[in-house]
Amino acid sequence: MHPRTPWPLDPATTRLVTAAAPSAPALLLRPWEPSDAPELALICRDDPVLRHWTSTAVHDHASAARWIEAQRRGWEAGDRFAFAVEESRAAGAGGRLLGDVVLKRGTTPGPAAEVGYWTAAHARGRGVAPRALRALTGWAFATFAGAGLTALELLHQVDNTASCRVARKCGYELTGLRPASPPAYPLDGHVHRREYAPPTS
């Protein structure tokens, strides 16, 4: 994206809400907060699937606090916008943590950015990831299309079939293959892409 949107994106006031689904409550997406550290540590510590598919290096309260601080710095720098996903209660208040979605703008200006997500073990199979990703996608284009954002990309390892299904449900078409780059990326990856469609009047 070019030019880079300057910081007045305020994490204190940025909130996204999705409607409830038959299998899950409404979702609230909001920036991570230091008070999330204990629950985040529990989610990551007891979930080998999450540790396998993500690079989230969280295993205790201290590492959770460091990870959350890194997300805050991303908001401040304007290059990484991570949202905690949680159950939405009455009046927009949050409940139990369900996962994370993130928009990564990177340090090199360009027309595309990357999105990512993960869900806690107790939230899987309830349609949380697709609804959160759709909300993030809409917000990203609404916020940054004026700064030149024309596409979003989503990457996942080829054997992560669950992420592939979520991407397709959300309109991210499979467009290519990214070669493996061990040790960080031991297998080839799918590249999904969604183009910006300006709203019609």
Side-chain angles (χ1 to χ4, degrees):
M1 287 165 282
H2 187 74
R4 179 179 293 281
T5 297
W7 174 242
L9 283 180
D10 185 358
T13 59
T14 304
R15 299 287 187 274
L16 311 176
V17 179
T18 75
S23 61
L27 302 179
L28 171 66
L29 282 64
R30 47 86 177 164
W32 287 88
E33 301 169 354
S35 59
D36 295 321
E39 191 172 359
L40 175 62
L42 286 174
I43 288 172
C44 295
R45 187 189 65 195
D46 298 330
D47 191 350
V49 173
L50 180 60
R51 291 195 301 272
H52 176 72
W53 291 123
T54 72
S55 59
T56 304
V58 174
H59 54 274
D60 58 15
H61 185 280
S63 57
R66 288 193 297 270
W67 186 87
I68 291 170
E69 171 60 17
Q71 310 318 302
R72 186 199 64 77
R73 290 196 302 269
W75 275 86
E76 188 172 90
D79 58 14
R80 183 182 179 92
F81 303 97
F83 291 83
V85 180
E86 61 186 11
E87 296 175 351
S88 179
R89 295 177 177 170
R96 191 180 187 188
L97 280 173
L98 305 176
D100 169 80
V101 288
V102 60
L103 172 70
K104 295 176 274 189
R105 296 181 63 191
T107 57
T108 303
E114 184 182 346
V115 296
Y117 55 86
W118 55 259
T119 53
H122 63 80
R124 292 175 195 143
R126 300 166 59 196
V128 169
R131 289 190 294 139
L133 179 58
R134 289 188 193 105
L136 178 73
T137 299
W139 175 82
F141 283 135
T143 304
F144 296 112
L149 178 66
T150 61
L152 295 172
E153 292 185 337
L154 189 157
L155 312 176
H156 66 81
Q157 203 164 276
V158 291
D159 55 344
N160 191 342
T161 55
S163 278
C164 205
R165 287 193 300 269
V166 170
R168 290 180 179 276
K169 282 181 181 179
C170 295
Y172 286 77
E173 298 299 328
L174 180 61
T175 59
L177 197 66
R178 176 165 295 186
S181 180
Y185 302 100
L187 297 178
D188 292 345
H190 281 174
V191 180
H192 294 261
R193 188 176 177 93
R194 178 163 168 172
E195 303 290 339
Y196 172 61
T200 56
S201 55

